[in-house]
Amino acid sequence: MTRSRYTAGGALATALLMTPALLFGASPAAAAETDSPINVGADGSVATDPAYDGPQITEIRVINEQKYLEIYWDRYVDEIEAVSPSNITLTNGDETVALTPKPASGRTDTIFFDQNNKQMAATDANSMERLPDDLHLASIAYTGTIDMSKPLTLTVTGSAIVDEQGRQAKDAVYTDVPKLDYYTQSVTTETGIVVKANARVAPETLTLAAEQVDVELAKTETGIAQQMADFGCSLAVYASRENAYLIPEHRGGYDPEMYDVEGYGGSTYNNCVSSISERNVLRTRGNADPFLNTSYPNENILIHEFGHAVRLVGIETMDDTTLSDEFYAAYENAYLTGLWPNTYAIGNSDEFFATLSAIWFNVMAEKPDWSDGVRSPINTRAELKEYDPTSYAFFEKIYPADLTLPAPWDEPAPDEYHGDYTELPEQEPRVSATDVEFGRDLFRISTQTVSGDFQIDRFAGDANHPDRDVCVWFTWGDGVWSIDYDNGLYTISASDGSGVLSAISDTEVRYAGIEADATDDAQKWRLSPDTSTPDAPFDGQLINEANGRALTLSDRAATGVSLTLGTADEGTRWMLEDTTRTEAQGTAAYITPVTVTLTPRAQDAEAEPAATRATGVHAAAAAQDAVTIDVAQQGFTLPDITDVFGADWSRDGYTFSGWRVVSDDSILPADWVIPDGTTALSLEAVWEPASVTPPTTDPAEPGDADGADEGTSPGNAADPASDAAGELPRTGADIAGTVAAAVLALMAGAGLMLMRRRNSAGNRQ
């Protein structure tokens, strides 16, 4: 206790002693001082201090190929703090460059490349495990533009960045940061393709890769090679101890869960850059360092990945669609006839093209049967001709049949197994999403085609329509949309808050920069179920509420195809997958669109007027019309009879008992849910006559002697109305007794006459 009091007293005394200094503007002695600015070399190098034992920066640059700031350290440092904009500030002249923060989880554009990256090590993929010991790269994405005519300066709060021993880096300012090429060497193939790499790749590897590209593109009369060269297609080779995600064009959207691949395909959306690992180019096998060996000793990944660019750039961008149409017909034939079952190839048209490219050059691995899910017994050109002659005929038009790949890929993959088996593709299991939270869950908007499933993504990927900011891509990752729902209408917003999907005309849609407006029907969409596909209960057309036009692909489904608006019969069939619920339920979980018809009276009541189709919250034209509306199974509740989508259906003289399904007498409970698998449903209101209470006799009614006006005799009261009409005056007397007596007399007389007739008849007998 004494020590605590002493410490507190000492702190107070220190504060009091410091007060005059603070008032007079002196700096506290404990404040850290920043060293003089450090000049960055023209090559990005930074001089280090050999006397300092804390972490130090060795190189800084902004790269030309993509928007990344690269900061190289001399060791592993805190992977979160090293890329945090809180600790890193980049200024361009007087302007601060906007750096992209790294999210706590999921895909990211900003990442720390290091074999000791703890986030990556915690995943099954651990895609950074192979990185070299001397690579410690903070790769930070930025937005906007950099003007290199103005100075580029980096300020680092090093005290927040520590190594594994807890030693801090220095607070420092780095001036004259250069903008440099990531690739430092390249060769150009005879067919016009640039093969490039950084300094970690051996020059002879580039030469070998270029030779493989020239064999793949040798049939120049097709125009494919020239088309690719015109688009600036290139092949990036990365070192055996690097991973594909270091390639600038493939760095964006880094998925920590994605395994360590040996290459990626090129397309117009990534500057037509394909990538390949040096270890596969060299076909390295049996090295003592396992990270130097290819994982695919019998599979040429260059032919496969560069094959993606052959199709997506070399063929699909041609004005003449002949080759594109022929390929699509070959794939469709294979899909619909059950060829290539349980293989990677049949999954979508892109992988079909790339896989069969490797088979054409006899550099595809095989499996003994058709149960692998990736490979099959068919892995050579000769087997392709026999098993799938339609596809063989197409590839014969674009690839050479008389050339062999250079060593070490001149040795074909082993071919021990053969087979001829077909089986129609098994569809992905899909279920209705449960416990959906509109406005909070993430959604994927996708369409199912013969070429595979494509999702709507938030970027401009259509070279023919660069002004459009949404296109489709093969399904990947989690959803990128947030959806709000209200009475049959969906508002589709970017999950990062960057805009709302809206119709901006009768043909165009956009999302970026459009602010949410609950009164704007152009931002609202109705998912109308496609009843022609009962085996696919989750698909439907997205109809814009403002113009009634349907969201549709502008071309045949393929990567990068943009979206437009067309007539309802032209609309693409879309599915809304709640990826948040998919993760929770363990199976792809979807919103179920249902067309519901509500009828105000049961069918056994009087005839109903014709149904009026409501769109969203707009009610039927007349208050008592039947109404048909497209709803989400997960968002539908039985309406109150006084507010049926805006109309009051209550009836005088009747009590509303509830709703029932047409042809079913059971009244539905208030918490009733539309059954799974339902695409259309008719409900009708059930009524009961309101109970009527008999009227009671009022003692003050006229004609009651006890209730007559005081001082007036009922027998003498005159009727002014009768007098005015010239009628005989009413006496006010009660004649009911007289009438009753007359009736009784008549009945008695009739009875006597009947008796006399019977007596007469008896006498005659």
Side-chain angles (χ1 to χ4, degrees):
M1 292 295 291
T2 303
R3 183 175 183 180
S4 297
R5 285 198 298 271
Y6 175 81
T7 302
L12 177 60
T14 301
L16 291 172
L17 289 171
M18 288 178 62
T19 300
L22 293 173
L23 291 173
F24 285 97
S27 299
E33 295 184 1
T34 302
D35 291 341
S36 299
I38 301 171
N39 184 259
V40 180
D43 61 352
S45 61
V46 176
T48 58
D49 181 1
Y52 187 70
D53 66 350
Q56 299 186 62
I57 292 174
T58 62
E59 184 179 349
I60 304 170
R61 64 182 180 179
V62 171
I63 60 174
N64 284 313
E65 290 79 4
Q66 295 289 312
K67 294 183 177 182
Y68 292 107
L69 164 66
E70 294 188 340
I71 305 173
Y72 292 82
W73 293 82
D74 65 348
R75 69 194 74 178
Y76 172 84
V77 292
D78 187 312
E79 63 200 57
I80 303 300
E81 300 298 337
V83 297
S84 172
S86 299
N87 305 320
I88 308 292
T89 303
L90 184 65
T91 55
N92 187 201
D94 296 330
E95 300 292 328
T96 299
V97 179
L99 302 180
T100 304
K102 180 187 179 301
S105 61
R107 290 179 174 270
T108 178
D109 293 336
T110 293
I111 195 71
F112 188 77
F113 286 93
D114 195 294
Q115 66 175 219
N116 293 319
N117 186 297
K118 293 176 173 52
Q119 180 188 13
M120 301 301 164
T123 67
D124 292 337
N126 197 7
S127 59
M128 290 191 183
E129 183 182 16
R130 73 166 49 254
L131 296 182
D133 298 341
D134 61 347
L135 181 64
H136 317 282
L137 167 61
S139 173
I140 306 170
Y142 69 87
T143 57
T145 58
I146 289 178
D147 182 358
M148 290 309 295
S149 67
K150 299 177 181 179
L152 198 57
T153 303
L154 180 70
T155 302
V156 178
T157 306
S159 56
I161 302 172
V162 299
D163 63 14
E164 291 186 285
Q165 284 70 45
R167 292 172 294 204
Q168 295 178 333
K170 290 182 179 181
D171 293 348
V173 176
Y174 300 87
T175 60
D176 296 329
V177 175
K179 193 175 186 186
L180 303 172
D181 290 339
Y182 176 84
Y183 304 106
T184 58
Q185 56 177 325
S186 67
V187 298
T188 301
T189 71
E190 293 181 2
T191 49
I193 305 301
V194 174
V195 181
K196 56 192 180 182
N198 63 21
R200 291 181 183 269
V201 177
E204 54 268 25
T205 303
L206 297 189
T207 301
L208 179 57
E211 292 173 357
Q212 294 181 36
V213 168
D214 277 336
V215 171
E216 190 165 12
L217 296 181
K219 215 161 189 177
T220 55
E221 63 270 23
T222 63
I224 293 173
Q226 187 61 53
Q227 188 78 355
M228 296 179 72
D230 290 345
F231 270 79
C233 284
S234 61
L235 175 68
V237 182
Y238 54 95
S240 297
R241 290 297 301 267
E242 294 181 318
N243 66 22
Y245 312 106
L246 281 162
I247 298 299
E249 294 85 356
H250 299 165
R251 198 178 295 183
Y254 193 126
D255 183 359
E257 301 292 337
M258 186 62 183
Y259 58 88
D260 185 21
V261 300
E262 293 196 15
Y264 274 118
S267 68
T268 53
Y269 90 98
N270 66 6
N271 295 337
C272 307
V273 178
S274 303
S275 64
I276 186 65
S277 171
E278 183 178 30
R279 59 189 183 274
N280 190 262
V281 175
L282 300 176
R283 204 178 187 179
T284 307
R285 297 160 285 181
N287 195 288
D289 182 351
F291 288 128
L292 298 181
N293 294 321
T294 179
S295 299
Y296 307 94
N298 294 315
E299 207 161 306
N300 189 303
I301 305 302
L302 185 154
I303 294 296
H304 179 110
E305 297 301 341
F306 193 72
H308 284 302
V310 170
R311 182 201 172 203
L312 295 175
V313 184
I315 294 176
E316 294 299 330
T317 62
M318 286 184 172
D319 293 333
D320 183 350
T321 63
T322 301
L323 287 176
S324 175
D325 293 341
E326 289 183 8
F327 167 71
Y328 189 81
Y331 174 71
E332 188 175 49
N333 173 73
Y335 188 93
L336 296 177
T337 58
L339 293 171
W340 309 98
N342 303 313
T343 64
Y344 192 48
I346 205 62
N348 59 65
S349 57
D350 273 2
E351 297 305 338
F352 188 78
F353 188 99
T355 301
L356 267 62
S357 294
I359 290 175
W360 180 268
F361 289 101
N362 301 318
V363 285
M364 177 70 189
E366 66 174 352
K367 288 294 180 179
D369 55 34
W370 298 87
S371 63
D372 180 61
V374 178
R375 298 166 184 84
S376 75
I378 308 300
N379 72 322
T380 68
R381 188 186 309 161
E383 289 176 312
L384 173 64
K385 184 176 183 179
E386 183 177 350
Y387 178 72
D388 187 352
T390 302
S391 295
Y392 179 93
F394 167 76
F395 283 100
E396 187 179 31
K397 292 182 178 181
I398 66 168
Y399 286 148
D402 57 348
L403 295 178
T404 302
L405 290 170
W409 287 102
D410 55 338
E411 178 188 346
D415 179 27
E416 300 177 7
Y417 308 106
H418 314 283
D420 184 5
Y421 177 72
T422 60
E423 178 185 326
L424 291 176
E426 183 177 347
Q427 299 301 313
E428 175 192 359
R430 295 183 171 97
V431 297
S432 291
T434 60
D435 301 322
V436 174
E437 292 189 69
F438 288 108
R440 297 186 63 181
D441 292 353
L442 289 178
F443 287 85
R444 184 203 321 275
I445 305 173
S446 62
T447 183
Q448 184 182 23
T449 73
V450 172
S451 297
D453 287 2
F454 295 85
Q455 68 182 38
I456 300 177
D457 270 334
R458 305 189 314 250
F459 53 81
D462 190 337
N464 295 323
H465 302 281
D467 54 320
R468 294 177 179 169
D469 62 4
V470 282
C471 69
V472 293
W473 195 257
F474 281 124
T475 53
W476 60 275
D478 296 323
V480 297
W481 302 101
S482 174
I483 295 180
D484 288 293
Y485 175 83
D486 182 28
N487 282 337
L489 292 179
Y490 303 80
T491 302
I492 302 169
S493 306
S495 58
D496 62 359
S498 56
V500 181
L501 187 65
S502 306
I504 59 173
S505 72
D506 282 349
T507 58
E508 298 297 321
V509 294
R510 289 190 67 81
Y511 86 93
I514 297 179
E515 296 185 3
D517 181 354
T519 65
D520 186 1
D521 283 351
Q523 298 183 9
K524 300 173 184 176
W525 302 85
R526 174 165 46 89
L527 183 62
S528 181
D530 189 341
T531 55
S532 68
T533 55
D535 57 336
F538 305 114
D539 64 358
Q541 294 173 318
L542 280 168
I543 310 294
N544 189 261
E545 183 71 356
N547 56 26
R549 306 272 287 174
L551 190 66
T552 185
L553 293 170
S554 62
D555 202 347
R556 186 171 58 216
T559 295
V561 171
S562 58
L563 303 178
T564 185
L565 292 172
T567 60
D569 57 353
E570 297 171 335
T572 300
R573 296 198 307 268
W574 302 101
M575 298 181 292
L576 307 183
E577 180 189 355
D578 186 334
T579 56
T580 302
R581 298 306 306 158
T582 292
E583 182 177 0
Q585 294 177 225
T587 304
Y590 292 81
I591 298 301
T592 306
V594 183
T595 298
V596 175
T597 298
L598 297 160
T599 305
R601 300 181 184 88
Q603 290 184 353
D604 54 0
E606 62 239 52
E608 294 296 334
T612 299
R613 188 171 189 85
T615 57
V617 297
H618 297 314
Q624 291 295 310
D625 282 353
V627 61
T628 297
I629 187 169
D630 298 319
V631 301
Q633 175 209 35
Q634 293 85 346
F636 178 76
T637 56
L638 294 172
D640 189 289
I641 199 65
T642 62
D643 185 12
V644 182
F645 298 103
D648 184 354
W649 283 3
S650 55
R651 299 173 61 191
D652 292 338
Y654 289 87
T655 299
F656 175 64
S657 300
W659 297 97
R660 71 184 181 192
V661 177
V662 171
S663 75
D664 188 339
D665 292 335
S666 303
I667 294 179
L668 302 173
D671 59 352
W672 178 78
V673 176
I674 297 175
D676 287 348
T678 303
T679 57
L681 181 72
S682 293
L683 301 175
E684 57 189 7
V686 180
W687 304 89
E688 291 182 2
S691 57
V692 180
T693 304
T696 58
T697 302
D698 188 346
E701 282 288 322
D704 187 336
D706 294 336
D709 289 346
E710 186 177 349
T712 303
S713 170
N716 298 328
D719 188 342
S722 298
D723 290 345
E727 298 175 354
L728 293 175
R730 297 176 183 175
T731 64
D734 187 356
I735 65 171
T738 304
V739 173
V743 171
L744 289 173
L746 289 172
M747 293 176 63
L752 289 172
M753 291 177 65
L754 181 60
M755 290 178 63
R756 288 175 180 174
R757 289 179 180 175
R758 287 180 177 175
N759 290 335
S760 297
N763 291 333
R764 285 195 296 269
Q765 291 176 355

